[in-house]
Amino acid sequence: MPALPASTRVPDGLEDVASGVIEQLPQTRAWLEDLVRIPSISDVPAHAEDCRRSAEQTARLLTEAGLEDVRLLEVEGAHPYVTGSWLGAGPDAPTVLLYAHHDVQPAATAERWSSPPFEPTERDGRLYGRGAADDKAGILAHVAAIRAWTTTRGGPPVNVKVIVEGEEEVGSPHLGEFLAAHAGDLDADVIVLTDLVNWKVGWPGLTWSLRGMAEAYVTVRALQRPVHSGMWGGAVPDALTGLLRLLASLHDEHGEVAVAGFDDDVRELTPAERGRLEELGEDPAAMRDEVGMLDGVDFLGDGRHGLLEQIWFRPSITPVGIDAPAIAEASNTLLARADAKLSLRLAPGQDPDRVLATLRDHLEAHVPFGLQVEMTSGQANPAWVTEPAGPAWEAAEAAMAAAYGRAPAALGCGGSIPFAEPFSEAFGGAPCLLVGIEDPGSNAHGEDESLHLEDFTKACLTEAFLLEELGRRLR
Ligand code: BES
Ligand code: MN
Ligand code: MN
């Protein structure tokens, strides 16, 4: 049987529940691997059936955990959401909504992974596989905690509802419809989102801010069709040069966004928020190491903001894909058309539509040689910030401190989870607890995504303890 992590301090009276989590770990792990084997890539239409299979598999796990009324919730055009609940703690006990998502990012460069992305593989205490961390581990943390309570005590000390989303990685385009149809049934006193990053391996993190996000697609057109570059090159402009000049115009020499008005509506950090960043301290060398920056590569920024502020509280624009011929297929022509996808990250205070409008104006003003430029926008959602205080926050601090043997760091996050804001709002401002499940080495969305297995055990214990803490503190 696996052992309790050496640093864990089981709260008095929860020895049986902690033992339940530990005894059940091999099964938890096997279920996680089953889920990782399903390529539930929400952005690729050919994987729609896999998204359905991962929803069905998730539903089986929620049932195994002891939830009742487990269902796939369908919204026209969306990959299935999965829900279940257990309301046996009674009307006087608080209700906790546990969130995770079962869809994953594509793994297009599978040949550069050390082991195939959808074959879960253990190496050096980590489980490798697409979705192993983001966010199938989050699903299993919920399952592990509920199941331990169900098998040892007949059920958790709070009412529990679980929602596992199937379209998080594409920006939750049907969230509004889903909310309108189902928010009533999901109503809760607190929402726990197990889809965040810990501060370090062994050092948990609780997150109090998320950046917003917007997507833009840029098309540059120069010609009716590609033409011979030897015959016309030099006099006739091509679309790829035009697109690259446009992309280059988006940043200044420090890498600061150079789009006029782009950051006009960014709100200043409050002194308390700034204090929290200072308390964490910045370790640029460690950060370089965590992301794998190559020797000699500099950080971006003109020095007005610290690194944590840059990644958590400042807006950014990054090209994340270009459609142009691959080198192997390049036929030595002036290209008629070139496309790019831009990922915009938004700071607290920013209105996604306003920011996208500044980008559109910039593109139209900077397109060279009179080429035609067109921008369309995709999914967008604003930033989310909360006050890291109150009984729910303290419950999570206590649960993490017990499971990890170390108090959590209060973190910002540069990524987004579109679910948080609208559901918290729908439940009358219910607090959201953003709980770490990844670590900085997990490389979610990238190659060789992985889950630190001992921290996963601690994340499962965190949730088991959290249900007890919330039951006591929110009653
Ligand atoms: N789990 C991430 C959110 C996250 C990002 C947590 C970075 C910690 C650090 C989530 O699955 C995610 O990737 N969200 C998307 C949302 C987008 C599509 C609206 C993101 O941030 O790109
Ligand atoms: Mn995620
Ligand atoms: Mn993700």
Side-chain angles (χ1 to χ4, degrees):
M1 192 186 76
L4 199 65
S7 58
T8 300
R9 304 281 170 263
V10 178
D12 284 343
L14 290 189
E15 292 78 6
D16 56 338
V17 178
S19 297
V21 170
I22 298 300
E23 278 162 29
Q24 292 161 14
L25 268 180
Q27 179 65 78
T28 302
R29 161 78 180 274
W31 281 335
L32 173 58
E33 294 190 11
D34 291 344
L35 265 189
V36 172
R37 284 192 193 92
I38 304 174
S40 49
I41 305 166
S42 49
D43 196 33
V44 177
H47 286 285
E49 202 43 48
D50 292 318
C51 292
R52 178 162 301 276
R53 283 202 299 133
S54 71
E56 285 164 355
Q57 176 66 13
T58 298
R60 280 191 282 276
L61 300 182
L62 297 185
T63 304
E64 291 274 3
L67 294 185
E68 292 157 2
D69 194 26
V70 174
R71 284 185 293 165
L72 302 202
L73 291 186
E74 310 268 354
V75 174
E76 178 77 24
H79 301 300
Y81 289 68
V82 190
T83 59
S85 61
W86 183 83
L87 305 178
D92 295 334
T95 300
V96 181
L97 177 65
L98 303 173
Y99 169 94
H101 61 90
H102 68 86
D103 64 322
V104 301
Q105 286 284 331
T109 52
E111 71 286 354
R112 288 208 295 260
W113 285 56
S114 308
S115 50
F118 297 103
E119 279 175 29
T121 307
E122 182 175 345
R123 289 192 297 276
D124 301 326
R126 306 188 68 102
L127 183 68
Y128 287 82
R130 170 60 85 231
D134 182 13
D135 181 32
K136 289 172 170 172
I139 302 174
L140 269 302
H142 300 330
V143 167
I146 298 166
R147 185 160 175 255
W149 276 97
T150 305
T151 51
T152 56
R153 306 272 186 102
V158 290
N159 298 308
V160 187
K161 298 176 180 176
V162 176
I163 171 90
V164 183
E165 186 186 346
E167 56 170 16
E168 195 275 345
E169 296 291 9
V170 288
S172 310
H174 299 87
L175 201 58
E177 282 164 71
F178 183 79
L179 186 77
H182 301 294
D185 301 333
L186 294 170
D187 192 18
D189 301 299
V190 55
I191 309 174
V192 178
L193 298 98
T194 305
D195 189 23
L196 275 293
V197 185
N198 284 326
W199 181 227
K200 307 280 172 199
V201 168
W203 188 345
L206 262 183
T207 294
W208 52 271
S209 73
L210 295 167
R211 275 197 296 194
M213 212 209 58
E215 297 171 337
Y217 298 86
V218 184
T219 299
V220 173
R221 291 187 178 86
L223 300 160
Q224 286 172 353
R225 64 193 78 83
V227 295
H228 197 292
S229 66
M231 193 144 157
W232 307 106
V236 174
D238 69 281
L240 185 55
T241 299
L243 178 67
L244 296 176
R245 288 186 69 105
L246 258 187
L247 296 183
S249 75
L250 295 173
H251 299 90
D252 69 13
E253 70 275 23
H254 306 293
E256 293 285 348
V257 176
V259 174
F262 189 75
D263 64 359
D264 279 0
D265 51 359
V266 175
R267 78 151 167 80
E268 270 295 308
L269 287 177
T270 65
E273 289 170 337
R274 208 168 275 294
R276 271 171 237 143
L277 299 198
E278 276 158 19
E279 198 170 312
L280 286 171
E282 280 181 6
D283 185 345
M287 210 185 278
R288 299 185 70 90
D289 208 45
E290 283 167 359
V291 275
M293 283 168 70
L294 299 180
D295 288 344
V297 175
D298 296 326
F299 283 109
L300 303 177
D302 59 13
R304 284 180 303 144
H305 309 281
L307 287 175
L308 293 178
E309 185 174 357
Q310 289 274 110
I311 57 176
W312 293 343
F313 297 101
R314 294 289 306 165
S316 65
I317 306 181
T318 316
V320 292
I322 289 186
D323 279 353
I327 292 173
E329 278 140 36
S331 59
N332 218 342
T333 50
L334 306 179
L335 297 177
R337 168 183 177 156
D339 296 81
K341 177 178 180 180
L342 303 179
S343 169
L344 282 63
R345 300 291 174 171
L346 309 178
Q350 293 202 282
D351 170 7
D353 291 335
R354 194 204 66 84
V355 172
L356 285 165
T358 66
L359 176 62
R360 186 187 305 276
D361 291 347
H362 177 96
L363 295 172
E364 284 167 1
H366 286 78
V367 66
F369 320 130
L371 303 183
Q372 296 178 4
V373 62
E374 193 186 337
M375 182 190 113
T376 55
S377 48
Q379 281 309 120
N381 65 277
W384 173 89
V385 184
T386 194
E387 213 26 64
W393 180 272
E394 285 159 17
E397 279 186 327
M400 287 190 135
Y404 288 79
R406 150 159 236 178
L411 304 177
C413 174
S416 303
I417 304 177
F419 186 93
E421 167 77 21
F423 272 79
S424 164
E425 192 100 323
F427 304 162
C432 290
L433 296 172
L434 274 51
V435 173
I437 186 86
E438 298 172 20
D439 68 84
S442 287
N443 206 23
H445 295 202
E447 293 154 9
D448 285 344
E449 174 179 347
S450 68
L451 175 71
H452 188 278
L453 285 165
E454 193 178 60
D455 274 6
F456 175 58
T457 301
K458 294 174 184 175
C460 295
L461 290 165
T462 292
E463 288 211 18
F465 301 161
L466 178 59
L467 297 179
E468 167 80 4
E469 294 287 347
L470 288 170
R472 279 197 297 113
R473 292 169 197 252
L474 297 187
R475 206 172 261 276

